[in-house]
Amino acid sequence: MKLLIKGGRVVDPANDIDAVMDVMVEDGMIKAVEVNILDREGTIIDATGKLVCPGFIDMHVHLREPGYEYKEDIASGTRAAAVGGFTTVCCMPNTNPVIDTAAVAAFVRERAVKSGIVNVLPIGCISKQLAGKELSEMADLVAAGCVAVTDDGQPVSDANLMRNALEYAKMFDLPVLSHCEERSMTREGQMHEGYYSTIYGLKGIPAAAEEIMVARDIILAELTGSHVHICHASTQGSMELIREAKARGVHVTCEVTPHHLVLTDEIVGDYDTDTKVNPPLRSAEHLEALREGLLDGTIDCIATDHAPHHPESKDCEYDLAAYGISGLETAVAVIMHFLVDKGLLEYSEMVELFTVGPAEVLGIDKGTLDIGTDADITIIDPAAIKTVNPNEFLSKGKNTPFKGMTLKGWPWMTIIKGRVVAQKGQLVNNNTKDLI
Ligand code: DOR
Ligand code: ZN
Ligand code: ZN
């Protein structure tokens, strides 16, 4: 099986490529990346005007299976990922049962092979039952294919447990992903604490609640010499702490979400519960600090924190609503529209944040168009314009604050191991036909 992707602008930051080239795929692998490949066998894809990139990776996705299939399952979540331009997703362990044993991790991987359509890499729990008391059996989780550990959804409030988690994780070269939240300061919090929380009359979540934990985790990473990764960094102070720690040589990495990069707390004023998320949408100064961090290398990658919820958990008063945004199907367009199209982020920077960035955090062999690797490819149409309609989402989670927004720059095609799985927002089952 051959596939020739012709005439696109190939953006492969890991190989320092940003030029009009052809990509040849054979037997599910990258065979050649060259100017004007003449071989015309197999399926030809005309990618003129498109960006041909290594497959995008989303390292922070809540697929909800097992246990919460009414919110999302591996079938629906991976289909959402595919049309969203992602070829690999990492799934979070706050399922039911939680992913704290090899058996549950193995179940997720088996389900992913049977019902998933993108690569799924499970992430295991730091603590048994996500209870924050006792460490999970990390060796078993690693043996079962987990690529990281986290108690995401919950902070690890016990500093000594976090220290021990970091010590153990180091033995397996495993990043420890930290949901940074000092709970004593965030309980009942609905939105970012600041001017708008006062105006809107909603209880605030201070930036300090995140930053205290970022500071603690940096100190613990330094103490243990281990790798801590800060999930969904959202504040100016977090940026400063991470930037300074990196400069000192501490092994700290971080991700940022599309929503924290482009939305501010002001929009909570409509009391649309789809704006309720944890950490909350912050003020404009924080957003600016994140954009700076994106450009100066403080931020390693963009991750969605895709958190699908059932309509019942959102169709209620703001203070009763669940936290979370369904992000897989808008992430690429949001970044393309608000940052790339506005000239705030180069193509190669954007691609890096979705490919080699997360691959390096996780230490996985993905995120490049290296010859001989899996042909996971994301093709983007920078000129495509579409209005976000959650009713068209393949995710069961329709909870998006981007609904109704018209965005420019959308995923055009998603290829996994040489198979076209999605095109222009639709799934593709038959990949033998010409797709010109
Ligand atoms: O908004 C959020 N939703 N933040 C979290 O930390 C958890 C997530 C979820 O699981 O719904
Ligand atoms: Zn989290
Ligand atoms: Zn999360």
Side-chain angles (χ1 to χ4, degrees):
M1 257 303 292
K2 281 189 181 179
L3 199 66
L4 179 63
I5 304 164
K6 278 207 76 66
R9 177 165 169 182
V10 177
V11 185
D12 179 13
N15 288 307
D16 232 351
I17 295 175
D18 184 352
V20 173
M21 288 179 132
D22 298 345
V23 177
M24 171 65 87
V25 171
E26 197 175 329
D27 298 328
M29 290 191 296
I30 306 283
K31 184 78 193 293
V33 181
E34 287 164 25
V35 176
N36 201 15
I37 296 175
L38 294 172
D39 187 340
R40 291 299 162 96
E41 275 176 49
T43 307
I44 297 175
I45 294 168
D46 179 2
T48 309
K50 314 289 193 290
L51 306 177
V52 179
C53 317
F56 282 15
I57 301 163
D58 187 349
M59 67 169 289
H60 191 144
V61 171
H62 295 270
L63 288 179
R64 306 297 195 202
E65 186 176 356
Y68 302 110
E69 291 84 354
Y70 62 96
K71 300 184 193 186
E72 190 81 288
D73 58 26
I74 291 169
S76 62
T78 58
R79 278 159 180 75
V83 298
F86 294 100
T87 56
T88 298
V89 298
C90 297
C91 61
M92 289 288 151
N94 62 340
T95 47
N96 186 17
V98 298
I99 308 177
D100 65 350
T101 61
V104 185
F107 168 83
V108 168
R109 287 184 71 200
E110 275 163 35
R111 290 289 296 168
V113 169
K114 280 205 188 103
S115 69
I117 64 163
V118 305
N119 306 305
V120 175
L121 304 173
I123 294 178
C125 295
I126 291 173
S127 70
K128 286 183 181 160
Q129 297 298 316
L130 286 184
K133 298 268 187 280
E134 215 185 322
L135 287 186
S136 61
E137 294 294 344
M138 257 181 234
D140 292 355
L141 293 171
V142 173
C146 289
V147 294
V149 286
T150 187
D151 273 3
D152 182 56
Q154 312 277 356
V156 176
S157 294
D158 183 323
N160 196 49
L161 190 82
M162 190 63 165
R163 177 200 181 162
N164 289 336
L166 285 160
E167 300 272 14
Y168 272 98
K170 194 176 165 190
M171 294 195 268
F172 310 105
D173 254 340
L174 215 56
V176 176
L177 281 39
S178 184
H179 169 114
C180 288
E181 177 181 348
E182 172 48 54
R183 272 280 155 88
S184 63
M185 299 178 80
T186 62
R187 272 191 201 104
E188 316 280 308
Q190 304 299 318
M191 66 174 293
H192 175 62
E193 179 182 291
Y195 174 80
Y196 287 108
S197 63
T198 313
I199 300 286
Y200 302 156
L202 290 172
K203 183 157 180 347
I205 298 173
E210 173 173 317
E211 292 154 3
I212 285 168
M213 290 301 247
V214 171
R216 182 203 73 175
D217 287 345
I218 286 170
I219 291 167
L220 293 175
E222 194 160 22
L223 172 70
T224 56
S226 310
H227 177 190
V228 74
H229 173 83
I230 309 299
C231 294
H232 40 58
S234 70
T235 78
Q236 183 175 17
S238 294
M239 286 300 105
E240 284 163 8
L241 287 161
I242 294 164
R243 183 178 293 122
E244 194 263 346
K246 281 187 168 188
R248 274 187 298 130
V250 181
H251 197 176
V252 56
T253 54
C254 75
E255 69 193 30
V256 66
T257 71
H259 47 271
H260 288 114
L261 283 167
V262 309
L263 300 176
T264 65
D265 56 348
E266 188 180 356
I267 66 162
V268 176
D270 290 341
Y271 299 95
D272 173 2
T273 55
D274 290 341
T275 64
K276 183 169 171 180
V277 64
N278 189 21
L281 301 175
R282 303 286 185 184
S283 61
E285 308 87 79
H286 292 292
L287 180 147
E288 281 309 321
L290 295 181
R291 290 185 178 186
E292 254 173 61
L294 207 56
L295 293 176
D296 74 5
T298 304
I299 292 168
D300 296 86
C301 62
I302 297 174
T304 62
D305 196 4
H306 176 73
H309 283 291
H310 191 270
E312 261 177 27
S313 326
K314 287 290 193 179
D315 195 6
C316 57
E317 292 84 343
Y318 204 88
D319 59 339
L320 298 177
Y323 300 92
I325 288 174
S326 179
L328 281 169
E329 285 163 270
T330 53
V332 170
V334 164
I335 298 299
M336 285 295 290
H337 179 86
F338 287 99
L339 299 177
V340 178
D341 198 56
K342 305 281 182 291
L344 299 171
L345 199 63
E346 301 285 334
Y347 285 147
S348 60
E349 292 169 326
M350 180 270 299
V351 176
E352 192 168 347
L353 289 157
F354 277 118
T355 58
V356 270
E360 278 175 7
V361 169
L362 297 165
I364 57 171
D365 187 20
K366 292 267 176 209
T368 75
L369 294 176
D370 287 355
I371 310 300
T373 58
D374 284 346
D376 291 352
I377 300 169
T378 296
I379 308 180
I380 294 172
D381 182 356
I385 295 174
K386 203 171 80 178
T387 302
V388 177
N389 178 359
N391 296 323
E392 291 172 359
F393 280 5
L394 298 187
S395 169
K396 294 182 191 178
K398 314 299 180 193
N399 45 302
T400 174
F402 296 108
K403 57 186 170 290
M405 290 192 199
T406 300
L407 305 176
K408 182 174 172 203
W410 286 83
W412 184 72
M413 187 179 278
T414 309
I415 299 171
I416 296 172
K417 295 192 179 87
R419 251 172 42 87
V420 176
V421 294
Q423 189 179 11
K424 288 199 228 171
Q426 308 282 329
L427 294 177
V428 173
N429 295 318
N430 173 5
N431 66 324
T432 53
K433 60 178 191 247
D434 259 19
L435 296 158
I436 300 173

